[in-house]
Amino acid sequence: VIYKLVAAVATPAVAIQGTLITLLGARAGVGSTTLSVHLTDVLQLRKSAQHKDYQIGLLDLGLPAGDGQLYLNVAGTYSFIDTLRNRHRMDRTLIQTALTNSHNGIKVISLPRMLKEMVGISHEDVLSLLTQLRLYFDVLVLDLGGLADMELVECMANASDQVLFVTDQSAGALVSLSSMLKEFNKRGGDTSRRQLIVNRYDIRYGMSAPQIAERFGLPLAAVLPECTLRLMSSANQGKLLHEVNKHDPYVREIQDLAEKLLNPHAEKHANKLSSWVSGLLKP
């Protein structure tokens, strides 16, 4: 009887894996963490209105460490390493009580304050943890912007449902993106899951977003306009941009991206329907 009761508590009622979305900054400073927190919060707001128990998680593993918590205006000490070490105790109670919680209900897991704790962690243990976490979250957003351990980055990215490479139009970011993609291609992986996001976009900076996407052979998931001033202003108020101005162009692009990620096949179906209707209407 005790074994049955423990199993009922430790295992979700329906073992359906949530979606894992990874954001990879081409290099530190291209804005992947800012994008991650805005995307996570928009996803939470969009779905929690429809499903009361909908749960979004943010794996805040980008550098500088803890920036995701900073932008979400939360503080917590239960880190990724703590979660990894206690994965054998993973259940809904631990998720609800130990993990850092934003005011909109996002669960946040960040890097430890002492980054040396990340040295030598087992990739198999990390993959096991991701698999366990996906049982308790509808969507997990994984920010890996600036993380130096490329083997670990590739390990987690290859376990994801969707991988979004984030770059801007600067020469440094584009060169870094090229090197990163070469490393990924060496080790294989499902290329159909990879997409590109061009951040801080301004056509006056040089290459257009479609040109960058064509150059690297990646589908273009989103083009986020340059809005450093507005993002910094909202961050200094302890808020995300959509909490200050929900009609900002950057926010609209994030909302469109969230819709695409939640309904990855909707656009394809819409295109097929449009093509079918056009063919039907031809004389």
Side-chain angles (χ1 to χ4, degrees), residues 42 53 59 65 73 85 103 112 141 151 190 237 245 249 259 265:
V42 166
D53 297 325
L59 289 170
N73 201 22
R85 289 170 179 164
H103 69 280
V141 176
E151 288 190 11
D190 189 350
Q237 298 175 55
N245 182 3
E259 185 63 33
H265 305 297

Side-chain angles (χ1 to χ4, degrees), residues 150-151 154 158 182-189 194:
M150 279 305 299
E151 288 190 11
E154 291 173 30
N158 288 333
K182 286 178 182 177
E183 289 297 319
F184 267 75
N185 292 333
K186 284 180 184 178
R187 294 178 171 84
R194 303 173 188 172

Side-chain angles (χ1 to χ4, degrees), residues 20-24 156-165 184 190 193-196 218:
L20 178 59
I21 301 169
T22 293
L23 284 88
L24 277 171
M156 290 190 280
N158 288 333
S160 304
D161 297 293
Q162 300 185 61
V163 182
L164 305 175
F165 291 89
F184 267 75
D190 189 350
R193 300 178 183 182
R194 303 173 188 172
Q195 297 185 74
L196 180 69
L218 293 172

Side-chain angles (χ1 to χ4, degrees), residues 91-112:
D91 59 19
R92 292 198 183 280
T93 301
L94 186 143
I95 295 288
Q96 294 300 324
T97 58
L99 302 188
T100 305
N101 199 53
S102 78
H103 69 280
N104 281 333
I106 299 167
K107 300 295 182 182
V108 186
I109 304 174
S110 298
L111 287 172

Side-chain angles (χ1 to χ4, degrees), residues 1-15 88-93 135-136:
V1 170
I2 290 173
Y3 280 135
K4 287 180 180 179
L5 290 172
V6 170
V9 172
T11 305
V14 182
H88 61 284
R89 296 178 51 234
M90 185 70 64
D91 59 19
R92 292 198 183 280
T93 301
L135 296 174
Y136 299 96

Side-chain angles (χ1 to χ4, degrees), residues 59-279:
L59 289 170
D60 173 32
L61 307 186
L63 294 176
D67 271 8
Q69 287 194 29
L70 179 65
Y71 298 149
L72 287 170
N73 201 22
V74 298
T77 58
Y78 199 85
S79 71
F80 181 73
I81 290 296
D82 295 319
T83 312
L84 191 64
R85 289 170 179 164
N86 292 288
R87 66 189 184 282
H88 61 284
R89 296 178 51 234
M90 185 70 64
D91 59 19
R92 292 198 183 280
T93 301
L94 186 143
I95 295 288
Q96 294 300 324
T97 58
L99 302 188
T100 305
N101 199 53
S102 78
H103 69 280
N104 281 333
I106 299 167
K107 300 295 182 182
V108 186
I109 304 174
S110 298
L111 287 172
R113 298 183 186 277
M114 303 295 290
L115 290 179
K116 63 182 181 181
E117 294 183 57
M118 292 287 290
V119 176
I121 62 173
S122 166
H123 294 180
E124 289 75 17
D125 289 346
V126 171
L127 290 177
S128 175
L129 174 62
L130 291 178
T131 300
Q132 286 180 273
L133 286 172
R134 290 174 71 170
L135 296 174
Y136 299 96
F137 290 90
D138 297 278
V139 179
L140 270 173
V141 176
L142 172 56
D143 173 29
L144 295 176
L147 198 63
D149 187 343
M150 279 305 299
E151 288 190 11
L152 179 59
V153 167
E154 291 173 30
C155 173
M156 290 190 280
N158 288 333
S160 304
D161 297 293
Q162 300 185 61
V163 182
L164 305 175
F165 291 89
V166 183
T167 185
D168 57 27
Q169 294 159 279
S170 68
L174 296 178
V175 169
S176 296
L177 177 61
S178 178
S179 299
M180 180 181 288
L181 287 172
K182 286 178 182 177
E183 289 297 319
F184 267 75
N185 292 333
K186 284 180 184 178
R187 294 178 171 84
D190 189 350
T191 58
S192 66
R193 300 178 183 182
R194 303 173 188 172
Q195 297 185 74
L196 180 69
I197 294 177
V198 181
N199 194 25
R200 299 172 184 159
Y201 182 73
D202 189 319
I203 189 59
R204 296 172 297 179
Y205 289 158
M207 290 180 67
S208 69
Q211 286 175 325
I212 295 172
E214 183 179 2
R215 162 66 180 81
F216 293 105
L218 293 172
L220 193 58
V223 180
L224 307 178
E226 167 63 59
C227 63
T228 302
L229 177 61
R230 300 192 299 277
L231 285 169
M232 187 177 295
S233 176
S234 62
N236 287 343
Q237 298 175 55
K239 296 182 178 180
L240 300 177
L241 186 54
H242 53 266
E243 295 175 316
V244 176
N245 182 3
K246 62 182 179 180
H247 300 298
D248 189 276
Y250 181 91
V251 174
R252 290 201 300 268
E253 288 293 331
I254 296 288
Q255 291 169 340
D256 289 344
L257 175 62
E259 185 63 33
K260 290 178 185 177
L261 294 173
L262 289 176
N263 303 287
H265 305 297
E267 190 172 356
K268 292 180 182 178
H269 292 327
N271 289 337
K272 287 182 180 178
L273 179 61
S274 176
S275 175
W276 180 79
V277 171
S278 298

